[in-house]
Amino acid sequence: MGHGDGSPTASDTAAAFIPDTNGIENLNGLVGHFVRPVRRWRDGRMLVRWIAAGLQEVTRSFRRLRGHRDLAALIRALDRTAMDSRKEVA
């Protein structure tokens, strides 16, 4: 499936890169484990700082996605899909 010009659609490309949501769920769990000891959040900025620190910490244990070199194609396909949906709305 494509846009008629042989290029893949965003859903085709995304399915090739991200077959399931396990990686996202794993990330959420790891960050949650990192910020769990904090009992009193002063403000939203503190929360963002802790989440950023948690993300930085857990990225050390990540592996590269299969096809990570082709992520630029996924971004282009997503941009193209977003532009197409905006044209339909207008």
Side-chain angles (χ1 to χ4, degrees), residues 69-88:
R69 291 185 180 100
D70 298 321
L71 284 174
L74 174 61
I75 292 168
R76 283 192 302 272
L78 291 170
D79 286 343
R80 199 170 30 248
T81 300
M83 289 178 68
D84 290 347
S85 65
R86 285 187 200 124
K87 287 178 186 176
E88 291 173 6

Side-chain angles (χ1 to χ4, degrees), residues 13-28:
T13 310
F17 284 106
I18 308 167
D20 55 38
T21 60
N22 288 343
I24 297 167
E25 293 167 10
N26 187 30
L27 173 66
N28 288 339

Side-chain angles (χ1 to χ4, degrees), residues 14-73:
F17 284 106
I18 308 167
D20 55 38
T21 60
N22 288 343
I24 297 167
E25 293 167 10
N26 187 30
L27 173 66
N28 288 339
L30 289 170
V31 170
H33 182 73
F34 185 82
V35 299
R36 191 168 294 124
V38 180
R39 294 290 175 223
R40 177 177 281 174
W41 298 104
R42 291 188 185 99
D43 57 20
R45 289 185 4 224
M46 181 180 175
L47 176 63
V48 170
R49 282 194 310 269
W50 272 86
I51 291 173
L55 288 171
Q56 189 174 14
E57 185 68 28
V58 301
T59 55
R60 295 177 186 159
S61 65
F62 285 176
R63 293 176 291 153
R64 290 190 190 268
L65 288 172
R66 244 180 262 131
H68 68 276
R69 291 185 180 100
D70 298 321
L71 284 174

